[in-house]
């Protein structure tokens, strides 16, 4: 720079810009290393007294920023350029975790044990129902049978939905810290207690209405018994199963197992048995029914306050009622079918086989729905943004014969149906349950009904989860209640149809 030029230099200090004046001992002295004096002035006018003959130079100051990096502040011609050079912030969006890499063998291996465990749980539930159907309370208040599919369906409406939500949260890293984990646990436990109380109460109202319309007579003592039994059973069963689900998901993450493969089947392994045992026990003792109903309803505001404090459950608390209520209504229709058939001698075996066929289908479709939902979450797609990898028109061929991981899991789950049911039928026959003989004709019709039921549900799961995701609804909160309720309706209807066909066959042979 020329000596006679007066161009201010700028020194950056903590984000401020100041002119830097270079001084030296005499006008004839050439600048040399170590011979400069830096003066920092607070305004341009402060440098008006300096000698115009003095040379001026640009000082480049290098300093580390907060991230440990070094940046250079150069001489800028205007203030806007200076401000731009000082901006060292970077906007980095989090990278979504990669989707799980699983083979058909690994999926089958992880699903097999929970599937068998859940199946034996439904077998035990069927044996309990087969036994208690002869109790006096079940014979006098036959509307209790209407409650059975609705209350057993709560494991799909509440516990399996809870398992799906927590599995997704664990897979995408929302339960990695202790604070996040406890917030998810407390919020979700409170949420399912609110839903269990409300849905149990509504299920009892549906049972009263379905029992009142055919008979044309309203019995107050029956209505009180149904209300107390339903609310207490739903509340206690949901609390116990919710705690089991939380332990299963935390343990599965620690041992490196995908919670989507094990959580929902284990939710059903003891769910049917616990629910039926509670329903039978509470219904048997009708002296404490009013107090039981009032006590559990009075606890509802406490659970609401706890669920509202957690953002993830606050949203579901307000928007998650539609699927569980509609699912309860669908399951109640299946309960009406059970109520009309269980006392018919031609339908001996409905009580023991209904929990099995419904439970197996519900377990498998819940696994598939939970897996597809987790897949969409882990792909980094925003809810409401369709998956570009999926077809616009989902067909049964794409569901079962596609090359993706979801089609692979659908094939594995479907292949488990026939061998699983054969094991469960053999177990029931060995325990002499069902009051019916397992002939080859019955087994063939039963397996055909079970395979058709699961095939329909797996296809609906693929379509429904994608459809809900594209319309801004979280499938973890909406899909499983609908699917398990449809499974109860299809299973009970198909099973009743099987017994109808067999009874017609016997009539035809005797003629």
């Amino acid at each position: 720079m020329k000596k006679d030029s007066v161009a201010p230099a700028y020194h950056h200090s903590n984000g401020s810009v100041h002119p830097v004046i270079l001084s030296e001992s005499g006008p004839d002295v050439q600048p040399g290393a170590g011979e400069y004096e830096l003066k920092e002035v607070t305004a341009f006018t402060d440098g008006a007294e300096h000698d115009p003959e003095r040379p001026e130079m640009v000082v480049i100051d290098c300093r580390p920023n907060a991230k440990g990096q070094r940046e250079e502040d150069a001489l800028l011609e205007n203030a806007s350029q200076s401000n731009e050079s000082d901006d060292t912030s970077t906007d980095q969006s989090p990278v979504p975790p990669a989707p799980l890499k699983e083979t058909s063998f690994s999926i089958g291996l992880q699903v097999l044990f929970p599937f068998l465990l859940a199946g034996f749980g439904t077998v035990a539930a069927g044996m309990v129902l087969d036994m208690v159907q002869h109790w006096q309370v079940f014979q006098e208040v036959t509307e209790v049978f209407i409650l059975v599919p609705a209350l057993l369906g709560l494991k799909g409406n509440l516990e399996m939905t809870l398992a799906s939500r927590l599995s997704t949260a664990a897979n995408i890293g929302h339960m990695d810290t202790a604070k996040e984990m406890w917030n998810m646990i407390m919020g979700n436990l409170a949420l399912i207690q609110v839903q269990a109380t409300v849905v149990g109460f509504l299920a009892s109202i549906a049972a009263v209405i379905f029992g009142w319309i055919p008979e044309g007579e309203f019995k107050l003592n029956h209505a009180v018994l149904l209300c107390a039994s339903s609310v207490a059973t739903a509340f206690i069963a949901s609390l116990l199963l919710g705690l089991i689900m939380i332990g299963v998901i935390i343990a599965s993450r620690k041992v490196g197992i995908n919670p989507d493969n094990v959580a929902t089947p284990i939710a059903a392994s003891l769910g049917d048995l616990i629910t039926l045992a509670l329903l039978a026990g509470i219904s048997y003792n009708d002296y404490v029914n009013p107090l039981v109903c009032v006590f559990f309803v009075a606890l509802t505001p406490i659970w609401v306050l706890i669920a509202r404090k957690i953002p993830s459950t606050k949203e579901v608390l307000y928007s998650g009622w539609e699927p569980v209520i509609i699912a309860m209504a669908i399951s109640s229709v299946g309960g009406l079918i059970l109520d009309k058939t269980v006392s018919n001698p031609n339908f001996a075996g409905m009580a023991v086989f209904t929990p099995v066929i419904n439970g197996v289908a519900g377990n498998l479709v819940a696994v598939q729905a939970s897996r597809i939902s987790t897949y969409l979450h882990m792909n980094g797609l925003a809810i409401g943004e369709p998956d570009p990898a999926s077809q616009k028109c989902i067909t049964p061929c794409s569901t079962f014969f596609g090359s993706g991981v979801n089609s692979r899991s659908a094939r594995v789950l479907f292949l488990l149906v026939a061998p699983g049911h054969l094991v469960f039928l053999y177990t029931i026959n060995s325990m002499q349950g069902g009051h019916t003989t397992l002939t080859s004709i019955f087994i063939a019709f039963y397996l055909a009904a079970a395979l058709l039921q699961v095939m329909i549900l797996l296809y609906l799961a693929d379509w429904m989860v994608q459809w809900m995701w594209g319309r801004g609804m979280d499938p973890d909160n909406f899909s499983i209640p609908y699917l398990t309720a449809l499974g109860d309706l299809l299973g009970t209807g198909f099973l009743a149809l099987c017994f109808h066909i067999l009874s017609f066959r016997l009539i035809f042979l005797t003629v």
Side-chain angles (χ1 to χ4, degrees):
M1 186 178 294
K2 296 181 181 179
K3 288 184 178 183
D4 55 357
S5 63
V6 183
Y10 298 91
H11 171 57
H12 293 258
S13 175
N14 297 327
S16 61
V17 182
H18 307 288
V20 179
I21 308 300
L22 178 64
S23 64
E24 41 92 7
S25 58
D28 297 330
V29 179
Q30 298 294 328
E35 297 180 352
Y36 297 99
E37 178 184 357
L38 298 180
K39 293 182 179 179
E40 181 174 310
V41 295
T42 58
F44 287 100
T45 56
D46 295 339
E49 298 179 0
H50 78 283
D51 189 351
E53 297 297 329
R54 293 178 181 175
E56 297 177 358
M57 68 174 294
V58 178
V59 178
I60 300 177
D61 179 33
C62 296
R63 64 185 69 237
N65 61 11
K67 295 180 180 180
Q69 301 174 342
R70 299 185 65 87
E71 63 179 7
E72 293 184 352
D73 294 333
L75 175 63
L76 302 176
E77 295 181 356
N78 52 58
S80 63
Q81 291 175 327
S82 173
N83 290 336
E84 292 176 0
S85 66
D86 285 341
D87 186 11
T88 60
S89 65
T90 58
D91 185 14
Q92 297 180 353
S93 59
V95 179
L100 300 175
K101 303 295 184 182
E102 296 176 292
T103 63
S104 298
F105 178 77
S106 64
I107 295 172
L109 189 62
Q110 292 184 18
V111 171
L112 180 61
F113 177 73
F115 168 73
L116 292 176
L117 181 62
F120 286 121
T122 60
V123 169
M127 298 297 294
V128 170
L129 184 60
D130 186 45
M131 178 182 64
V132 301
Q133 67 173 327
H134 305 294
W135 288 9
Q136 183 178 358
V137 64
F138 280 82
Q139 292 180 349
E140 293 181 356
V141 189
T142 58
E143 294 89 346
V144 177
F145 287 106
I146 302 177
L147 290 176
V148 171
L151 294 180
L152 295 185
L154 282 180
K155 71 178 183 296
N157 298 346
L158 303 181
E159 283 80 26
M160 288 184 177
T161 303
L162 167 68
S164 180
R165 280 199 302 266
L166 294 182
S167 297
T168 299
N171 279 325
I172 64 178
H174 288 176
M175 293 180 64
D176 290 344
T177 65
K179 182 178 180 181
E180 290 176 334
M181 182 178 66
W182 282 111
N183 284 340
M184 292 290 295
I185 290 173
M186 295 303 299
N188 279 279
L189 277 180
L191 174 65
I192 65 171
Q193 294 314 114
V194 175
Q195 292 178 327
T197 304
V198 174
V199 173
F201 181 74
L202 294 178
S204 65
I205 293 178
V208 170
I209 293 174
F210 286 152
W212 178 22
I213 292 176
E215 297 180 2
E217 182 182 1
F218 177 77
K219 298 180 180 179
L220 181 60
N221 59 334
H222 288 187
V224 173
L225 184 144
L226 291 172
C227 179
S229 301
S230 180
V231 171
T233 300
F235 185 96
I236 299 174
S238 295
L239 180 61
L240 293 177
L241 292 174
L243 293 174
I244 293 173
M245 281 303 87
I246 291 168
V248 168
I249 290 171
I250 294 175
S252 63
R253 291 295 293 172
K254 289 185 178 296
V255 299
I257 297 176
N258 184 2
D260 287 314
N261 294 336
V262 299
T264 50
I266 293 179
S269 61
L270 297 176
D272 291 345
L273 180 60
I274 291 174
T275 302
L276 277 176
L278 288 171
L279 178 62
I282 296 173
S283 300
Y284 186 77
N285 188 357
D286 58 351
Y287 295 102
V288 296
N289 284 332
L291 296 177
V292 168
C293 187
V294 171
F295 173 73
F296 288 119
V297 171
L299 292 177
T300 303
I302 300 176
W303 304 120
V304 171
L305 293 176
I306 296 175
R308 288 182 60 186
K309 293 182 179 180
I310 311 300
S312 61
T313 55
K314 181 179 180 180
E315 179 182 357
V316 183
L317 182 64
Y318 293 119
S319 62
W321 291 102
E322 178 183 346
V324 295
I325 292 176
I326 294 178
M328 179 273 301
I330 296 173
S331 297
S332 296
V333 176
L336 183 61
I337 298 174
L338 180 64
D339 181 35
K340 299 304 179 183
T341 57
V342 71
S343 58
N344 191 331
N346 294 326
F347 291 83
M350 280 291 296
V352 71
F353 294 123
T354 297
V356 177
I357 193 171
N358 292 345
V360 169
N363 300 340
L364 295 177
V365 74
V367 170
Q368 181 70 352
S370 180
R371 288 179 57 87
I372 299 174
S373 179
T374 299
Y375 171 82
L376 293 173
H377 277 284
M378 296 186 70
N379 270 355
L381 298 173
I383 295 181
E385 178 183 350
D387 184 10
S390 65
Q391 300 179 2
K392 293 184 179 180
C393 181
I394 298 176
T395 63
C397 290
S398 63
T399 298
F400 293 98
F401 302 104
S403 58
V405 64
N406 294 326
S407 298
R408 192 180 307 135
S409 62
R411 292 192 295 269
V412 171
L413 296 175
F414 182 75
L415 292 175
L416 290 175
V417 176
H421 273 295
L422 288 175
V423 172
F424 305 144
L425 289 176
Y426 176 77
T427 304
I428 293 174
N429 188 57
S430 300
M431 299 175 68
Q432 298 180 352
H435 307 287
T436 186
T437 303
L438 293 182
T439 63
S440 58
I441 299 296
F442 172 80
I443 294 175
F445 277 106
Y446 180 89
L447 290 180
L451 290 170
L452 181 60
Q453 175 197 25
V454 173
M455 181 184 297
I456 294 173
L457 291 176
L458 290 177
Y459 168 69
L460 289 177
D462 195 6
W463 170 81
M464 186 178 293
V465 172
Q466 299 281 355
W467 182 84
M468 288 180 173
W469 183 274
R471 280 154 182 78
M473 297 183 290
D474 191 346
D476 285 325
N477 301 325
F478 290 90
S479 63
I480 293 181
Y482 289 122
L483 293 169
T484 53
L486 288 172
D488 292 341
L489 180 58
L490 291 174
T492 307
F494 287 165
L495 188 60
L497 183 61
C498 288
F499 280 103
H500 264 299
I501 295 174
L502 292 174
S503 64
F504 289 152
R505 178 179 176 270
L506 291 176
I507 294 174
F508 178 78
L509 292 177
T510 56
V511 173

